[in-house]
Amino acid sequence: MYENSRLIIDSSSIPEADSITWRSPSNIAIIKYWGKYGIQLPRNPSLSLTLAASCTDTMLEYELKEGTSDGAIDLEFFFHQEENEAFRSKVLAFLNSLLPVYPFLKQLKLTVHSGNSFPHSAGIASSASGMSALALCLCSLEDVLFGTLKDPAAFDQKASYLARLGSGSACRSIFPYASVWGETSLLKGSSNEFAIPMEAHIHESFKDFHDDILIVSREEKAVSSRAGHALMDGNPYAEPRYAQARTRLGALLDSMRTGDLETFGRIAEDEALTLHALMMCSNPSYTLLHPGSLAIIEKVRQYRADTGNQVYFTLDAGPNVHLLYPGDIIHEVRAFIEEQLEEHCEEGFVQQDWVGEGPEEV
Ligand code: PMV
């Protein structure tokens, strides 16, 4: 939808060598995206909270390449100051896929410096923050070179579209507080191609919301998200699952509009366990939960029953448990984590995070 063969630098407007830097956060899905088709298009709509502390800083340096612009994309990639060939080839494949949208990429010498705010191999996926930061840099670059993205809403939509092509769920990181990705009759303007902002649709209480990530294991997971999505194609529960996600999204949106934490939390937990149930029902089946993940889940349920405090869990495609709770009970919850949950975390590691205002240019 954004293909544009006119985005080519001509000799009358040669850009000065310069750089662009964006900081972009990770996000945590409440309604999960699991199963895709075509080029990173979701089988069902998903909703996520935008995080604040777990983020990626990406600096994109550019200068006009000397000589012909018909060659390959010229890219160097540094991760935490070190050249990283694995990341470079991933990003190069992404940039190559964007050539119909951004043909000018071939005309530039590009150097990317990227780094995460959380320790590498902390068991926290960085594709959402990394790909959204890069997509934002590319949109800024387009605007610097051609002046074509002045409107903030158009800028965000395109950044979300590009981020999606890099890593599906990354498209939701562009917006403050919360966003929805995927077509639904419940939200005007929703699309499978990009996420839309939800700030106007959520109760204030979700803007002061926490997500402490309990790192049960730092190990790279045995089955990647990419493989997991692919296994949904043969999953006998796939169709009912996609229908269920739509129904749950409706209920979740109502709860987020009114500030009904109990319904929000119930849906968050149901979605987390559904995601992992789908993995267990895949062919071949697999499990990503660890004994520690289950121990934490049980303790969270018990704690809620004992105290009435509104603490809920969710899970990504991995063993780490995300604890969701409103800001007004932070002291009690942090004490609970320290006393009862840290023992299930690898080296006691907890990444404290919260709902944030989205990416910023730095
Ligand atoms: O964006 P991907 O391909 O890494 O898939 C993300 C899948 C989940 O994190 C499990 C769910 C989601 O909606 O973020």
Side-chain angles (χ1 to χ4, degrees):
M1 67 185 270
Y2 282 113
E3 291 189 10
N4 187 349
S5 55
R6 283 167 306 162
L7 292 184
I8 285 283
I9 301 164
D10 65 40
S11 49
S12 65
S13 58
I14 303 286
E16 296 269 316
D18 207 343
S19 71
I20 290 157
T21 303
W22 276 90
R23 168 171 298 167
S24 189
S26 184
N27 67 75
I28 178 69
I30 306 300
I31 301 293
K32 308 292 182 183
Y33 146 62
W34 200 239
K36 60 178 170 180
Y37 70 97
I39 301 175
Q40 305 271 80
L41 296 165
R43 290 285 187 191
N44 64 262
S46 56
L47 179 148
S48 62
L49 301 177
T50 303
L51 298 179
S54 309
C55 52
T56 300
D57 284 352
T58 295
M59 176 169 77
L60 174 64
E61 295 175 337
Y62 58 92
E63 63 181 285
L64 199 69
K65 234 195 305 193
E66 281 173 27
T68 163
S69 59
D70 293 336
I73 290 177
D74 184 341
L75 174 72
E76 284 189 277
F77 192 97
F78 295 84
F79 183 67
H80 289 276
Q81 275 77 50
E82 283 184 24
E83 273 195 80
N84 187 311
E85 188 44 42
F87 286 169
R88 191 190 91 93
S89 64
K90 210 172 153 183
V91 168
L92 190 60
F94 172 55
L95 296 181
N96 272 312
S97 77
L98 295 186
L99 282 174
V101 177
Y102 284 157
F104 65 84
L105 290 175
K106 275 188 175 177
Q107 299 176 280
L108 299 170
K109 176 175 164 18
L110 302 168
T111 306
V112 175
H113 287 269
S114 194
N116 296 336
S117 63
F118 43 91
H120 188 49
S121 76
I124 298 172
S126 59
S127 59
S129 53
M131 282 301 176
S132 55
L134 185 58
L136 288 156
C137 287
L138 292 170
C139 287
S140 289
L141 179 58
E142 174 191 334
D143 198 47
V144 167
L145 296 176
F146 306 101
T148 35
L149 281 179
K150 294 281 171 247
D151 172 49
F155 183 100
D156 286 351
Q157 179 174 308
K158 188 156 184 179
S160 179
Y161 172 91
L162 298 179
R164 183 199 105 229
L165 296 175
S167 169
S169 58
C171 72
R172 297 184 310 233
S173 280
I174 302 298
F175 302 98
Y177 309 117
S179 66
V180 165
W181 169 36
E183 228 170 275
T184 163
S185 56
L186 303 169
L187 292 166
K188 229 176 94 200
S190 60
S191 170
N192 283 349
E193 312 253 6
F194 48 81
I196 58 170
M198 290 303 293
E199 183 176 359
H201 303 275
I202 61 172
H203 192 266
E204 281 300 305
S205 53
F206 291 103
K207 297 182 181 174
D208 178 24
F209 217 69
H210 287 259
D211 174 13
D212 288 343
I213 311 168
L214 308 167
I215 306 300
V216 174
S217 169
R218 300 181 152 166
E219 264 171 49
E220 184 116 4
K221 55 197 177 202
V223 180
S224 68
S225 283
R226 173 203 280 258
H229 283 292
L231 285 172
M232 280 301 281
D233 285 341
N235 191 309
Y237 299 101
E239 286 310 322
R241 156 61 193 162
Y242 302 140
Q244 174 190 59
R246 286 169 206 285
T247 311
R248 282 182 177 164
L249 178 65
L252 186 78
L253 288 173
D254 287 344
S255 75
M256 291 187 76
R257 231 171 251 135
T258 58
D260 174 358
L261 277 195
E262 218 170 293
T263 302
F264 170 88
R266 183 178 45 73
I267 296 172
E269 295 190 348
D270 287 349
E271 274 290 291
L273 295 177
T274 299
L275 171 69
H276 284 263
L278 288 165
M279 297 172 191
M280 294 183 213
C281 303
S282 293
N283 184 14
S285 66
Y286 62 107
T287 48
L288 297 182
L289 294 177
H290 288 204
S293 322
L294 295 170
I296 290 171
I297 288 171
E298 283 311 313
K299 284 183 175 176
V300 170
R301 287 175 165 153
Q302 191 60 50
Y303 176 79
R304 204 162 58 223
D306 292 346
T307 63
N309 281 345
Q310 292 188 299
V311 184
Y312 301 94
F313 66 84
T314 187
L315 302 156
D316 252 340
N320 303 326
V321 183
H322 291 243
L323 270 202
L324 304 168
Y325 60 92
D328 59 346
I329 53 169
I330 186 166
H331 298 297
E332 290 118 287
V333 177
R334 290 269 164 89
F336 164 53
I337 291 172
E338 226 176 282
E339 286 158 20
Q340 294 197 48
L341 304 183
E342 264 177 26
E343 65 191 82
H344 303 291
C345 299
E346 195 166 329
E347 290 168 42
F349 187 62
V350 177
Q351 166 81 1
Q352 298 179 340
D353 214 329
W354 52 91
V355 169
E357 292 174 15
E360 53 176 337
E361 192 167 6
V362 287

